[in-house]
Amino acid sequence: MEALVFDPQSLSLKYHKYYPIPEISNDDEVIVRVDHTGVCGTDLHIIQGDFPVRNDRPFPLGHEFSGYIHAVGKNSTFKLGQRVAIDPNSGCQLCDCCRSGKYQHCLTAGLNSYIGIFKDGGWAKYCKVLQQQVYALPDGITNKQACFAEPLSCVAHSFNRAGPLKVGEKILIIGAGIIGNLFASALYYQGHRNVTVSEKIEKRLDIFRRMSTGFRLINPDILEQEKMLYDVIIDCTGGNTHESLDPPEPRKKCYVRLEPTILHGVLPQVILFRGVREPGSQGLRTPVDLDRLMSSINLYQIFDKELTIIGVKTNSFSFPTAIEWIKVMGERYLEYHKLGVKTYWLSEYETALADLKTGRVAKIIFKTASLPLM
């Protein structure tokens, strides 16, 4: 089968036309014929060597994908040919974290067994997964839309952690990459109009304008100069690596981005939507410059302004919400061109990553089925 394979030793990608097809080894497993598969900011961190990943052999990345059931184990409740989306996150179901509904914090599974990070992922024609990670797609959702299920489930988890976000609150989104765009789409759908988006890359702002939300768009210099008050601040910068495949600049810039905004806020919630492990985490191949991963916040201001700072780590039982969002939001909010999404064949990965680096696209979706690109 065709596959785009990552080598954790050389931090390189290689397209394979005849990569081994996975086989079922567990009665609870299914094999999915991948149709659409996305490139996440976490994948970019992995390629740069800044995120923990299995390092025993080369393997396909990719944890955002949809497709069809190709083969099933004896215990499977799914049918051959059924359209599905995959939640790459799972837990052991036995530890306190899992049994309290926080399987993203599971120490034995969770991130350590994540599809596309520690297991073969969806940058391939076929992918083997546990059936409990498979979600059937209802009528009215296309496979290309279903590729948004995983990132939208993370956005939904953010809403669950921070909610309720009241219509009329003044909201700031920092970063107009794909996650920032999906946040904006979800906010607009839910009736929010008093939203400001800060982004330093003009091409990204041009893409954002296609969504026709009417949200106020500014660059970080203006954000730093003005003394606006915000009720909710959503940081979708992802540690800068969404902007480039080159090594990110020192994360001291986060002080410039967030601190002035927080200092002039009144009881704001600050949602940190990031995907970088702290230095020294298990799985990192090389030391990571501490400045890239540190932010500075005045502790007195947390007390004085009664700030609420919320971290968001993947998803937690929010996949059904994401699928329902896709169903009701439809093309008005999730059309590829409006969001800056473009499809490429797996074999076109070099062109795709170059387009992402230059800002021509906000997100890459790889197509693996023998169907026309759309």
Side-chain angles (χ1 to χ4, degrees):
M1 68 173 180
E2 67 168 346
L4 182 55
V5 177
F6 172 70
D7 186 336
Q9 299 303 319
S10 62
L11 300 181
S12 61
L13 293 172
K14 183 178 180 180
Y15 174 76
H16 290 250
K17 194 171 182 179
Y18 300 107
Y19 195 77
I21 298 176
E23 298 180 354
I24 289 178
S25 57
N26 183 306
D27 290 342
D28 292 319
E29 292 174 340
V30 302
I31 293 177
V32 175
R33 177 167 65 84
V34 178
D35 190 12
H36 289 75
T37 179
V39 176
C40 174
T42 300
D43 297 317
L44 305 184
H45 286 300
I46 290 172
I47 294 170
Q48 293 171 177
D50 287 345
F51 198 88
V53 66
R54 72 178 303 166
N55 56 17
D56 58 328
R57 64 172 175 84
F59 69 102
L61 298 178
H63 57 269
E64 305 173 358
F65 59 100
S66 60
Y68 303 88
I69 297 295
H70 174 73
V72 298
K74 294 180 180 179
N75 295 337
S76 174
T77 60
F78 292 93
K79 299 178 181 179
L80 297 181
Q82 195 167 6
R83 296 188 311 113
V84 296
I86 309 303
D87 181 357
N89 192 13
S90 66
C92 70
Q93 310 305 322
L94 296 173
C95 68
D96 290 342
C97 289
C98 287
R99 291 184 170 181
S100 62
K102 301 174 182 178
Y103 62 84
Q104 73 274 28
H105 296 296
C106 177
L107 296 179
T108 57
L111 185 62
N112 299 314
S113 65
Y114 219 82
I115 294 172
I117 298 179
F118 285 94
K119 293 182 178 180
D120 285 14
W123 290 4
K125 188 66 174 288
Y126 299 98
C127 184
K128 181 172 65 174
V129 301
L130 292 172
Q131 69 166 345
Q132 57 261 39
Q133 295 177 260
V134 180
Y135 287 79
L137 297 178
D139 294 337
I141 293 181
T142 66
N143 284 6
K144 61 185 294 187
Q145 291 172 335
C147 199
F148 288 131
E150 194 278 338
L152 275 176
S153 72
C154 297
V155 173
H157 181 47
S158 303
F159 276 75
N160 292 339
R161 295 269 290 129
L165 301 181
K166 299 177 182 178
V167 172
E169 287 185 314
K170 187 172 292 185
I171 298 175
L172 170 66
I173 298 175
I174 303 178
I178 188 61
I179 290 296
N181 293 356
L182 290 176
F183 257 109
S185 294
L187 289 168
Y188 188 89
Y189 174 76
Q190 296 181 19
H192 293 272
R193 298 294 183 269
N194 198 357
V195 178
T196 297
V197 178
S198 173
E199 171 57 58
K200 71 177 183 179
I201 301 177
E202 188 62 33
K203 288 182 180 179
R204 285 187 169 185
L205 292 177
D206 290 339
I207 290 173
F208 192 95
R209 291 184 182 97
R210 300 175 192 169
M211 298 165 58
S212 301
T213 61
F215 293 167
R216 188 172 76 109
L217 306 181
I218 60 174
N219 64 51
D221 292 335
I222 295 176
L223 177 64
E224 185 175 358
Q225 294 169 9
E226 64 184 14
K227 307 300 181 183
M228 297 288 291
L229 303 178
Y230 294 96
D231 301 301
V232 181
I233 303 166
I234 305 172
D235 182 2
C236 301
T237 58
N240 280 347
T241 54
H242 290 67
E243 299 169 3
S244 172
L245 295 181
D246 295 328
E249 299 176 11
R251 288 285 295 121
K252 288 180 180 178
K253 285 193 172 183
C254 187
Y255 182 90
V256 177
R257 285 193 182 118
L258 284 181
E259 185 94 359
T261 308
I262 291 175
L263 294 184
H264 298 287
V266 179
L267 295 171
Q269 294 189 92
V270 183
I271 305 171
L272 301 179
F273 196 105
R274 300 190 180 278
V276 182
R277 277 283 182 93
E278 68 275 14
S281 291
Q282 181 180 4
L284 287 177
R285 294 184 66 256
T286 57
V288 179
D289 182 1
L290 184 63
D291 285 341
R292 275 199 281 150
L293 308 178
M294 294 294 292
S295 301
S296 297
I297 297 177
N298 188 312
L299 294 180
Y300 176 79
Q301 297 298 332
I302 295 177
F303 153 75
D304 188 51
K305 304 297 183 181
E306 295 188 343
L307 306 181
T308 301
I309 301 176
I310 300 170
V312 178
K313 180 181 180 180
T314 66
N315 55 15
S316 178
F317 297 105
S318 54
F319 226 79
T321 299
I323 291 176
E324 187 62 24
W325 276 6
I326 295 171
K327 185 177 181 179
V328 298
M329 292 171 71
E331 286 293 294
R332 164 63 182 90
Y333 300 90
L334 301 177
E335 196 272 327
Y336 274 23
H337 178 71
K338 292 178 181 178
L339 292 170
V341 179
K342 186 177 179 180
T343 54
Y344 302 80
W345 300 116
L346 279 175
S347 59
E348 297 177 313
Y349 73 95
E350 292 178 315
T351 299
L353 292 175
D355 287 347
L356 183 66
K357 180 177 179 178
T358 60
R360 291 184 58 191
V361 298
K363 187 175 183 65
I364 298 166
I365 299 290
F366 288 126
K367 195 79 170 62
T368 60
S370 300
L371 295 173
L373 293 177
M374 300 178 63

